[in-house]
Amino acid sequence: MRIGLIGAGRIGTFHATTLSRHREVGGSLIVTDADPVRAQRLADRLGATAAPSVDEIFTWGVDAVVITAATSAHAELIGRAARSGLPVFCEKPIALDLPGTLSALAEVDAAGTVLQMGFQRRFDVGYTAAREAVRSGRLGRLHTVRAMTSDQSPPPPGYLPLSGGLYRDCLIHDFDIMRWVTGREVVQVYAAGSDAGPAMFREAGDVDTAAAVLTFDDGMLATATATRVNGAGYDVRMELAGELDQIGVGLDDRTPITSTEPAGPPAADKPWTGFLERFGPAYEAELAAFVEVVRGERANPCDGREALEALRVAEACEVSRRERRPVSPAEIAGARD
């Protein structure tokens, strides 16, 4: 199978490495990047082929496209792949706004092609087990969910104005995984954010720490928190509490938290430092799933509509933070086509 990968940055390099080891792809991988030198170096290291530009990805006869380019290019590249009749795997988000997202989805629908989104937590063993526990009824009626995503250190200052903000760039993973695990939809959010940390967040009009209270369509309540400045380490967790039982995702010997209880667990010797380290196996699994989708061996596990729904929640949180009021995702202009 010949796959064209667009974008040779950090996540692109990881995905290219994964694909180069896949028995169905191997030496048939083609990579390109806005920086041709970076693409060539990556191709040389993996035994892949470097394309001079994006144009060659669509003229060299690939079977599918993997998009790991800058977020601002996602929607246009999705549309171009759709018009070429090619299945696409794209890192989230489709676009940083609803109009761009809806436009790209319309292209995919019109072409009848496949768009699989990169929400890797759906392939993590802990989240998968949590979904099974909820869906089996083991927890009873689910009444409370608590989710968190904490980065150990901030991204580069130049990334912030392009990221879409903490809700769209970071918490969108929590919004997606809460929907996926519980099978319920968010009907109202109330969000707050703080820019009291490094000045670069204020300069970018973003926040470094955020929290949201979400109400779901069955009355379940959830909290989602995120920060860019969690010095203890990279911390991604989820707790689900029901009338019969309570479970947690992300609690292991590398969770960057220290108990103050005398009999509590010891501090992690080697806490998680970043998302590629924490979710490496999940990233590999989602690409293996994409190869199976392209081969017609399985259904799409995370299509573009799933990304749209998570973005609607993120947009509602941004409005709530700005206007300091509860917001329903349904009231976001253009939210549903």
Side-chain angles (χ1 to χ4, degrees):
M1 179 184 297
R2 206 173 196 201
I3 291 183
L5 182 140
I6 304 171
R10 182 168 54 166
I11 189 65
T13 296
F14 188 93
H15 285 338
T17 302
T18 297
L19 289 168
S20 71
R21 295 169 178 165
H22 196 289
R23 65 181 184 278
E24 299 293 342
V25 182
S28 299
L29 180 67
I30 301 172
V31 299
T32 192
D33 190 82
D35 179 353
V37 174
R38 183 164 68 171
Q40 188 64 62
R41 282 200 302 263
L42 178 60
D44 290 343
R45 181 159 64 83
L46 299 178
T49 300
S53 72
V54 170
D55 291 341
E56 283 75 21
I57 296 294
F58 296 101
T59 59
W60 284 3
V62 299
D63 299 302
V65 175
V66 171
I67 299 172
T68 56
T71 296
S72 59
H74 287 188
E76 190 274 331
L77 290 171
I78 289 170
R80 188 169 181 181
R83 293 189 297 274
S84 300
L86 295 171
V88 176
F89 174 92
C90 184
E91 277 299 322
K92 64 83 191 165
I94 293 173
L96 291 178
D97 57 22
L98 286 162
T101 299
L102 291 168
S103 177
L105 289 177
E107 294 244 43
V108 172
D109 288 345
T113 52
V114 169
L115 169 60
Q116 180 182 329
M117 295 305 301
F119 281 109
Q120 86 285 351
R121 294 185 195 182
R122 294 181 177 220
F123 295 86
D124 176 76
V125 293
Y127 285 106
T128 299
R131 175 184 163 98
E132 292 172 353
V134 170
R135 304 301 180 92
S136 71
R138 171 186 150 193
L139 307 185
R141 183 185 68 86
L142 201 61
H143 53 74
T144 308
V145 175
R146 294 174 285 270
M148 64 182 296
T149 296
S150 301
D151 289 333
Q152 183 176 30
S153 55
Y159 174 76
L160 294 177
L162 308 174
S163 71
L166 194 58
Y167 297 103
R168 300 183 190 92
D169 180 55
C170 188
L171 274 167
I172 196 167
H173 280 288
D174 296 278
F175 302 148
D176 175 71
I177 205 62
M178 283 193 284
R179 293 181 59 250
W180 186 74
V181 167
T182 68
R184 313 305 310 192
E185 296 294 345
V186 178
V187 296
Q188 187 182 81
V189 306
Y190 191 91
S194 170
D195 62 1
M200 65 180 183
F201 290 96
R202 292 185 293 279
E203 293 166 358
D206 196 6
V207 295
D208 60 77
T209 303
V213 177
L214 302 94
T215 302
F216 284 75
D217 55 10
D218 63 345
M220 179 183 70
L221 296 178
T223 59
T225 63
T227 185
R228 299 286 199 186
V229 287
N230 193 59
Y234 181 73
D235 194 2
V236 174
R237 280 180 280 147
M238 184 186 222
E239 297 174 355
L240 301 105
E243 292 181 341
L244 299 180
D245 201 358
Q246 179 173 239
I247 57 176
V249 179
L251 290 171
D252 58 25
D253 60 0
R254 299 191 65 181
T255 304
I257 190 169
T258 302
S259 173
T260 60
E261 299 296 335
D269 289 333
K270 189 180 178 183
W272 299 110
T273 60
F275 63 91
L276 288 177
E277 181 185 38
R278 166 67 176 84
F279 289 111
Y283 280 115
E284 293 172 359
E286 69 178 357
L287 280 181
F290 178 61
V291 171
E292 292 175 355
V293 170
V294 175
R295 288 173 55 85
E297 297 171 350
R298 67 174 294 174
N300 188 349
C302 186
D303 66 22
R305 297 288 162 180
E306 300 294 305
L308 172 63
E309 292 305 318
L311 179 60
R312 290 176 64 237
V313 178
E315 292 278 351
C317 285
E318 189 58 57
V319 173
S320 177
R321 179 188 73 85
R322 188 170 61 246
E323 300 182 3
R324 299 186 179 184
R325 66 177 179 88
V327 176
S328 166
E331 74 179 74
I332 303 297
R336 291 192 182 278
D337 57 348

